[in-house]
């Protein structure tokens, strides 16, 4: 495996992180995960735009232009002969003596490396289970930061319960999953939490809403209660690695006959077609 460290592509065993890197000590940084289909990073520009937004929101100043970073990531994909899989990249604030405050002159540190391909087709075909959990995270969930401790805790809780995801509830309102966005369908109308500080505006979520617009499918961006979740006709989640994933059971309650519902199936197909279209177009341009 070859990895990108700042502006250099090196062997995996040569990559080092300073013990006083603020990402290591404080989780002081931001990250992204990009899916790769047939050698093409899907929605790469959108992921990098969100990375730069997250960095800006926490005061990390990046001197490199987004297009330059995209080119280096494309080179990394090529060096690793990647066909299908993922790409993880993170930017920390930099290296300095350990204090909570920091100097504005720190040099951000970049690390990026490939993730192995992991098929989710079987789970997408059958659907997955979820549990609910209290959303006790900070109030800037729109920033994709390295601070994932609570997300990890509730994800582990789901795993130990034999479930795929934890659906987070804040003051009775469904916000999102521990690593996903949550959608419900009731009487043919899709509903999901609006993109504000209480959720991460997922790239797959955004892409899916674009698909909804193109097809004139009805949806609402508004908060909904846990009671609405539990009374929904269909429930599914979206994320980069899970794409569109049906949820057929929550806290022991079964949805849509314990199988992916018709609206969810329709959305899955439309999303797959969007992936094929973008990767084909990118390949033709290359």
């Amino acid at each position: 495996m070859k990895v990108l460290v700042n502006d250099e592509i090196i062997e995996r065993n040569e990559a080092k992180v300073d013990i006083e890197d603020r990402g290591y000590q404080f989780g002081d940084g931001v990250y992204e995960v990009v899916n790769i289909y047939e050698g093409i990073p899907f929605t790469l520009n959108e992921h990098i735009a969100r990375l730069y937004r997250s960095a800006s929101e926490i005061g990390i100043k990046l001197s490199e232009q987004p297009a330059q970073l995209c080119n280096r990531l494309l080179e990394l994909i090529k060096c690793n002969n990647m066909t299908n899989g993922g790409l993880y990249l993170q930017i920390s604030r930099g290296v300095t003596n350990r204090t909570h405050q920091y100097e504005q002159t720190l040099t951000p540190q970049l690390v990026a490396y490939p993730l192995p391909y992991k098929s989710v087709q079987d789970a997408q075909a059958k659907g997955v289970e979820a549990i609910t959990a209290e959303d006790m995270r900070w109030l800037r969930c729109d920033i994709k930061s390295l601070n994932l401790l609570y997300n990890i805790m509730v994800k582990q809780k789901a795993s130990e319960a034999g479930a795929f995801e934890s659906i987070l509830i804040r003051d009775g309102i469904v916000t999102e999953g521990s690593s996903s966005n949550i959608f419900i369908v009731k009487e043919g109308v899709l509903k999901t939490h609006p993109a504000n500080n209480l959720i991460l505006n997922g790239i797959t979520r955004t892409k899916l809403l674009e698909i909804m617009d193109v097809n004139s499918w009805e949806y609402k961006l508004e908060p909904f209660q846990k009671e609405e979740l539990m009374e929904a006709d269909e429930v599914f989640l979206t994320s980069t690695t899970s794409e569109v994933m049906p949820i057929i059971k929550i806290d022991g309650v079964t949805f849509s006959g314990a199988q992916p519902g018709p609206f969810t199936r329709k959305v899955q197909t439309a999303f797959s077609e969007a992936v094929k279209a973008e990767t084909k177009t990118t390949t033709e341009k290359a």
Side-chain angles (χ1 to χ4, degrees):
M1 179 193 296
K2 295 185 184 297
V3 304
L4 175 63
V5 178
N6 296 319
D7 58 357
E8 187 179 5
I9 294 178
I10 59 177
E11 296 293 335
R12 168 67 178 85
N13 59 8
E14 297 175 357
K16 308 295 180 185
V17 175
D18 193 288
I19 63 169
E20 291 190 302
D21 186 289
R22 289 181 63 89
Y24 173 69
Q25 294 195 333
F26 293 104
D28 188 0
V30 295
Y31 78 102
E32 284 290 333
V33 177
V34 182
N35 254 12
I36 298 170
Y37 301 91
E38 302 301 325
I40 305 299
F42 182 61
T43 57
L44 176 61
N45 291 332
E46 292 90 334
H47 278 283
I48 296 305
R50 187 173 63 177
L51 179 75
Y52 273 66
R53 177 193 179 274
S54 294
S56 177
E57 287 295 309
I58 66 171
I60 292 180
K61 299 177 181 179
L62 303 175
S63 58
E64 186 176 40
Q65 294 300 309
Q68 293 175 298
L69 177 55
C70 286
N71 286 336
R72 285 199 287 138
L73 294 175
L74 291 172
E75 184 181 355
L76 179 64
I77 292 170
K78 185 176 181 180
C79 286
N80 282 286
N81 297 313
M82 296 190 68
T83 302
N84 296 300
L87 200 64
Y88 175 84
L89 61 150
Q90 74 170 46
I91 296 175
S92 74
R93 193 177 302 277
V95 178
T96 187
N97 294 336
R98 190 186 187 282
T99 59
H100 282 66
Q101 68 274 25
Y102 55 85
E103 297 292 334
Q104 296 286 355
T105 55
L106 294 182
T107 301
Q109 301 294 298
L110 167 70
V111 174
Y113 59 88
L115 300 172
Y117 172 70
K118 185 177 181 181
S119 176
V120 292
Q121 291 182 353
D122 186 55
Q124 288 174 337
K126 296 178 180 178
V128 297
E129 297 185 21
I131 61 173
T132 57
E134 185 178 0
D135 191 346
M136 299 179 67
R137 301 170 300 166
W138 73 322
L139 295 176
R140 290 304 309 273
C141 301
D142 57 305
I143 299 171
K144 197 170 179 67
S145 80
L146 300 178
N147 292 274
L148 293 173
L149 183 57
Y150 190 72
N151 301 65
I152 291 169
M153 292 170 63
V154 292
K155 193 77 166 185
Q156 180 66 18
K157 182 179 178 182
S159 178
E160 291 173 355
F164 183 84
E165 178 64 298
S166 281
I167 299 175
L168 301 175
I169 316 291
R170 189 189 295 267
D171 299 325
I173 299 293
V174 176
T175 50
E176 58 185 344
S178 67
S179 61
S180 63
N181 293 120
I182 302 298
F183 294 76
I184 62 172
V185 180
K186 186 69 175 180
E187 297 178 352
V189 179
L190 180 146
K191 186 182 289 188
T192 191
H193 197 287
N196 57 18
N197 65 296
L198 297 181
I199 74 162
L200 179 70
N201 189 13
I203 302 301
T204 304
R205 172 190 184 277
T206 302
K207 184 59 121 179
L208 182 57
L209 294 179
E210 292 175 2
I211 293 170
M212 298 282 291
D213 287 332
V214 168
N215 289 279
S216 298
W217 295 338
E218 187 176 355
Y219 66 89
K220 296 180 180 179
L221 302 180
E222 62 182 40
F224 56 90
Q225 301 280 336
K226 180 180 178 181
E227 289 76 14
E228 291 182 73
L229 169 71
M230 302 307 292
E231 294 174 1
D233 297 328
E234 301 175 43
V235 184
F236 63 86
L237 63 81
T238 61
S239 73
T240 293
T241 54
S242 294
E243 300 172 338
V244 179
M245 182 67 70
I247 298 176
I248 59 171
K249 185 179 288 187
I250 304 173
D251 292 342
V253 176
T254 300
F255 294 80
S256 60
Q259 60 185 355
F263 196 100
T264 304
R265 288 291 195 206
K266 182 168 65 172
V267 169
Q268 284 180 316
T269 299
F271 183 79
S272 295
E273 290 174 352
V275 170
K276 292 176 183 177
E278 180 169 323
T279 53
K280 180 182 178 181
T281 301
T282 304
T283 301
E284 290 174 348
K285 288 180 179 180

